[in-house]
Amino acid sequence: MLFRKGTGIASSEITPESVFNQHTQGRRRFLATAATLGAGALAASRLPAILNPQSTVLAETQKLQTVESKYTVPDVQTPFAKATTYNNFYEFGTDKSDPAQNAHTLQTRPWTVQVDGMVAKPITLDVDSIMHYRPIENRVYRHRCVERWSMVIPWDGYSLAELIKFCQPLPGAKYVQFLSKVDKKQMPELPGGYDWPYSEGLRMDEAMNPLALLCFGCYGNVLPNQNGAPIRVILPWKYGFKSIKSIVKLHFTDTQPRTLWNELASNEYGFYSNVNPNVDHPRWSQATERRIDAGFLPRTMPTTMFNGYQDQVAGMYTGMDLKKYF
Ligand code: MTE
């Protein structure tokens, strides 16, 4: 989108995938053990029983146990290889291929999520505790990017509403802000020109909508780093940039929070960013999309209002001028 490319790692320095995989197998086993010790202690000391993980931490390579979801769409799914190599994750570079090449430096365990602001009791939660809190549904969602491409991805998680209820926001809380991890050491490609971390926000009713997914995996496995491991949100009726990755903080507030893209270019990226074929991006139309799916070539198709999720979400915006609040 708007960032200039940072000082890239020479391609000779990037570990070939085969070597990387062998390396990460070992690293993941180690991390799983370390996280079991570290996160277990944290969970036991700070969490009520309901969030205390029953067993140990899942190894990152382990498959997720998922249940079917009523929210699944029947569209042809995008191949795993495409969904995990064509990404936006600017902390790891600005090209679509950068995150898959660079995000192995992200350390996803131990990992905590801080909950603060207008809540009954601020708390720090271990990510594995959050992951085990509710059954994980496999939801096949349409994923629509503001850059006019779309994918259909089976995401694994449960409704964000479940975690929010647990957090007990105060009645005056109107928004929830999400903040991503930022660590220059783990993110040597971090572009300049923005006061990181990546920040996003939702109105409280949007965050409580059952479609808003708290996501831990895709295609039945834990999230690859480039897709936002170990915890992100997926908001299928909004443009992809609202679906913030690698979350470390939820902040409840009565004020509309800052969001990265809105701050960088408020005329191009609004706070709501609902998929809307009737509201053009200033530099291009949003009426059609290029579906990247299992077919031989990407298909161009008309974009539907709210990405096809009108029945579930349109009611939240009744009476709002969506050209003004884009
Ligand atoms: N979250 C963080 N922390 N950093 C990012 O750069 N990019 C956003 C969103 N979440 C981004 C992020 C954008 S622009 C898109 S389109 C989606 O992630 C892409 O998600 P995907 O790579 O899993 O398809």
Side-chain angles (χ1 to χ4, degrees):
M1 296 188 198
L2 289 166
F3 291 114
R4 261 177 290 125
K5 190 158 169 52
T7 48
I9 306 174
S11 57
S12 57
E13 287 177 39
I14 295 169
T15 316
E17 201 182 332
S18 53
V19 179
F20 167 60
N21 282 342
Q22 284 167 15
H23 170 70
T24 45
Q25 296 293 327
R27 190 179 69 92
R28 283 173 175 162
R29 267 195 297 275
F30 168 75
L31 278 178
T33 315
T36 305
L37 300 171
L42 179 79
S45 64
R46 293 200 197 158
L47 298 180
I50 196 164
L51 277 192
N52 209 347
Q54 290 298 307
S55 55
T56 53
V57 171
L58 286 183
E60 282 180 61
T61 46
Q62 219 170 317
K63 281 213 159 297
L64 290 170
Q65 296 250 328
T66 59
V67 295
E68 283 302 309
S69 170
K70 61 179 178 183
Y71 296 109
T72 287
V73 295
D75 308 32
V76 176
Q77 289 178 28
T78 303
F80 174 83
K82 200 76 196 172
T84 56
T85 55
Y86 191 80
N87 301 104
N88 280 335
F89 200 168
Y90 287 85
E91 289 89 328
F92 294 100
T94 52
D95 285 351
K96 299 276 177 273
S97 57
D98 284 343
Q101 303 254 17
N102 299 334
H104 60 275
T105 52
L106 179 68
Q107 287 168 21
T108 59
R109 296 294 189 286
W111 189 283
T112 55
V113 177
Q114 191 188 344
V115 178
D116 71 6
M118 299 177 73
V119 283
K121 196 164 158 254
I123 191 169
T124 298
L125 301 170
D126 181 78
V127 73
D128 292 292
S129 308
I130 303 173
M131 189 159 82
H132 293 299
Y133 182 45
R134 284 283 180 265
I136 296 202
E137 294 171 33
N138 179 257
R139 298 182 179 186
V140 182
Y141 272 173
R142 300 185 194 99
H143 187 50
R144 171 65 160 80
C145 188
V146 74
E147 292 157 310
R148 289 177 299 182
W149 49 266
S150 64
M151 297 192 192
V152 179
I153 300 179
W155 299 108
D156 301 306
Y158 58 78
S159 287
L160 173 63
E162 301 289 345
L163 177 63
I164 292 186
K165 278 186 253 164
F166 171 81
C167 296
Q168 296 179 24
L170 299 176
K174 295 195 173 64
Y175 299 90
V176 54
Q177 179 184 26
F178 305 88
L179 294 169
S180 291
K181 175 121 185 154
V182 61
D183 180 347
K184 189 82 181 100
K185 280 204 214 91
Q186 294 179 41
M187 299 164 173
E189 298 292 317
L190 196 72
Y194 180 70
D195 185 16
W196 298 91
Y198 197 102
S199 169
E200 259 305 338
L202 292 173
R203 220 170 54 187
M204 198 60 85
D205 60 332
E206 299 181 301
M208 294 298 288
N209 188 291
L211 263 194
L213 186 72
L214 188 65
C215 178
F216 307 93
C218 61
Y219 298 87
N221 289 302
V222 292
L223 282 168
N225 287 1
Q226 61 268 33
N227 291 86
I231 178 170
R232 70 178 295 181
V233 291
I234 298 289
L235 308 158
W237 72 99
K238 293 178 179 286
Y239 292 118
F241 64 88
K242 296 290 290 181
S243 294
I244 184 171
K245 298 178 171 184
S246 305
I247 296 166
V248 293
K249 186 165 175 172
L250 263 61
H251 177 74
F252 292 89
T253 168
D254 55 3
T255 317
Q256 186 175 300
R258 67 187 286 232
T259 72
L260 179 144
W261 290 109
N262 184 244
E263 233 169 69
L264 286 174
S266 57
N267 62 325
E268 302 196 3
Y269 310 103
F271 176 79
Y272 287 93
S273 293
N274 293 318
V275 174
N276 189 342
N278 309 314
V279 177
D280 291 342
H281 184 280
R283 288 182 281 143
W284 54 74
S285 159
Q286 290 289 3
T288 60
E289 66 199 63
R290 206 164 39 88
R291 176 66 60 84
I292 300 169
D293 62 18
F296 198 53
L297 290 172
R299 287 181 295 130
T300 299
M301 53 177 65
T303 288
T304 45
M305 190 65 201
F306 297 119
N307 207 17
Y309 295 95
Q310 301 95 315
D311 290 351
Q312 293 97 330
V313 303
M316 295 191 292
Y317 309 104
T318 310
M320 274 176 73
D321 178 355
L322 296 180
K323 286 203 159 74
K324 186 170 171 205
Y325 298 103
F326 61 97

